[in-house]
Amino acid sequence: MLLSILFGIFSFLIFYLAYFLFSGKAAVFITKKQDEKNRLAQSFFSVIGILLVINGFFALFLIFYHPIWLALILLGLVCLIVLAFVFGLNYFM
């Protein structure tokens, strides 16, 4: 029961981060006002948002069916996506 609640909270957080990236609010992270970099950054944020939506649905699936190996795969994927997001922010700043 506790694992189901934790995956529910985790899926909510993943979906909220994906919404933040899709809505364009992540543009506040870009400090330089270059049009080319802004367009490239917006497409980068969209790709990261799509990956996070997929992982959010995966986390929703894990609410009802939660073997440990699938949970570890999800956590590893989300860690890699967030790491790619941080490296992308470093590139665009």
Side-chain angles (χ1 to χ4, degrees):
M1 181 68 182
L2 180 64
L3 199 57
S4 298
I5 293 170
L6 289 175
F7 276 119
I9 294 170
F10 190 59
S11 66
F12 171 74
L13 291 173
I14 291 173
F15 280 130
Y16 187 73
L17 180 58
Y19 166 74
F20 180 74
L21 293 173
F22 275 137
S23 65
K25 294 179 182 177
V28 298
F29 292 133
I30 303 170
T31 57
K32 297 178 183 172
K33 297 292 182 187
Q34 298 173 352
D35 288 337
E36 181 65 31
K37 277 206 169 186
N38 284 344
R39 282 183 293 199
L40 186 62
Q42 198 65 2
S43 64
F44 173 72
F45 291 153
S46 296
V47 167
I48 295 293
I50 290 169
L51 291 174
L52 285 172
V53 166
I54 292 169
N55 283 317
F57 284 121
F58 188 39
L60 283 177
F61 169 74
L62 285 174
I63 290 174
F64 304 107
Y65 179 73
H66 42 270
I68 298 300
W69 64 276
L70 280 178
L72 292 175
I73 289 174
L74 172 73
L75 291 175
L77 287 174
V78 170
C79 286
L80 287 175
I81 291 170
V82 169
L83 187 67
F85 178 67
V86 168
F87 283 140
L89 281 178
N90 188 26
Y91 173 72
F92 291 117
M93 292 185 88

